[in-house]
């Protein structure tokens, strides 16, 4: 149980275009999902917390107009990188929390998406 | 600023060796310490979540200890196998619903 999928696993796009990444909880309902980003040789850094049916909460320094997050259902959250630039090239990974799990604060991760902006 | 540090950054061991890694974290406002195992091209897999000072948890050949007063956790692998090769991440949270702050991980390579 507690499987999270992410799509696509990798994407290459041109500078100025927008890219959408999907995060799905496959066998549980996730009221809260998290989006992280990892640059080379750095740790996973939280970008935003996504709550179903409400606006996402962004971490300091993360532009909410550039990284659009939608959590319209209990099993799907999307991250859209708008007007992507080469400096947005990174590894993006989502996680989801199962409120009904024994350890409700445990986070289950997707496999991540490698974004390369040319 | 929360600082979670892991050491060593990388480790190469021979099959059968036992090894351990360290995770240090802020000791104030502690709620939980998480250990994840992350193989290339896969999702990070939760190994342990520990909340109480003195906690010790075990899963097969892998075990972990927690010292919340001094702010560190150890992860031990007994008799390392090639399939243990992965990056081991620790993460700290201040409250049950709070974000995870990750370390940079320890990359383990086990030679057959």
């Amino acid at each position: 149980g507690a499987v999270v999928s992410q799509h696509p696993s990798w994407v290459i796009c041109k500078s100025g275009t927008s890219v959408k990444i999907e995060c799905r909880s496959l066998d549980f309902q996730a009221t809260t999902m998290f989006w992280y980003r990892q640059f080379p040789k750095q740790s996973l850094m939280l970008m935003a917390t996504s709550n179903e049916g409400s606006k996402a909460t962004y971490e300091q320094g993360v532009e909410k107009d550039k990284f659009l997050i939608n959590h319209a259902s209990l099993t799907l959250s999307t991250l859209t990188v708008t007007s992507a630039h080469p400096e947005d090239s990174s590894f993006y990974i989502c996680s989801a929390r199962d409120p009904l799990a024994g350890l409700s604060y445990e986070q289950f991760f997707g496999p991540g998406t490698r974004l390369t902006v040319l | 600023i929360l600082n979670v540090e892991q050491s060593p950054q990388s480790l190469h061991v021979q099959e059968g060796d036992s090894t351990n890694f360290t995770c240090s974290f802020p000791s104030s406002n502690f709620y939980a310490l998480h250990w994840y195992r992350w193989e290339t091209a896969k999702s990070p897999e939760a190994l342990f979540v520990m909340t109480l000072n003195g906690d010790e948890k075990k899963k097969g050949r892998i075990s972990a200890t927690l010292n919340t007063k001094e702010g560190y956790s150890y992860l031990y692998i007994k008799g390392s196998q090639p399939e243990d090769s992965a990056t081991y991440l620790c993460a700290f949270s201040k409250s049950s619903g709070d974000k995870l702050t990750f370390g940079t991980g320890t990359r383990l390579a086990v030679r057959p």
Side-chain angles (χ1 to χ4, degrees), chain A residues 74-85:
Chain A
L74 286 171
T75 59
L76 173 65
S77 176
T78 60
L79 168 68
T80 301
V81 183
T82 61
S83 187
H85 290 283

Side-chain angles (χ1 to χ4, degrees), chain A residues 34 36 95-97 105-109, chain B residues 36 46 98-100:
Chain A
F34 302 87
Y36 295 82
S95 70
R97 208 161 57 203
Y105 44 83
E106 190 170 2
Q107 292 184 28
F108 301 96
F109 282 82
Chain B
Y36 287 88
D98 202 3
K99 64 181 183 179
L100 296 181

Side-chain angles (χ1 to χ4, degrees), chain A residues 43 46 59 105-107 109-111, chain B residues 36 43 46 49 51 96-97 99 103:
Chain A
S43 59
L46 182 68
E59 294 299 302
Y105 44 83
E106 190 170 2
Q107 292 184 28
F109 282 82
Chain B
Y36 287 88
S43 303
V49 181
T51 57
S96 63
K99 64 181 183 179

Side-chain angles (χ1 to χ4, degrees), chain B residues 6 10-11 17 28 62 67 69 71 83 94 98-100 111:
Chain B
Q6 291 187 247
S10 65
L11 198 53
D17 288 350
S28 60
I62 306 176
N67 183 322
K69 292 184 179 179
E83 56 265 31
K94 290 189 297 181
D98 202 3
K99 64 181 183 179
L100 296 181
R111 294 185 297 268

Side-chain angles (χ1 to χ4, degrees), chain A residues 4 34 36 38 41-46 49 59 91 93 97 103-112, chain B residues 31-32 34 36 38 41-44 46 49 51 57 89 93 95-104:
Chain A
V4 176
F34 302 87
Y36 295 82
Q38 185 183 37
K41 298 190 186 299
Q42 295 187 23
S43 59
L44 292 174
M45 295 292 292
L46 182 68
T49 302
E59 294 299 302
F91 185 77
I93 189 168
R97 208 161 57 203
L103 297 174
S104 60
Y105 44 83
E106 190 170 2
Q107 292 184 28
F108 301 96
F109 282 82
Chain B
Y31 186 82
H34 303 241
Y36 287 88
W38 194 5
K42 294 186 178 179
S43 303
V49 181
T51 57
K57 295 213 172 178
L89 299 174
S93 62
S95 68
S96 63
D98 202 3
K99 64 181 183 179
L100 296 181
T101 301
F102 280 87
T104 51

Side-chain angles (χ1 to χ4, degrees), chain B residues 18-29:
Chain B
S18 293
T19 186
N20 65 85
F21 327 132
T22 304
C23 172
S24 62
F25 53 88
S27 54
S28 60
N29 298 319

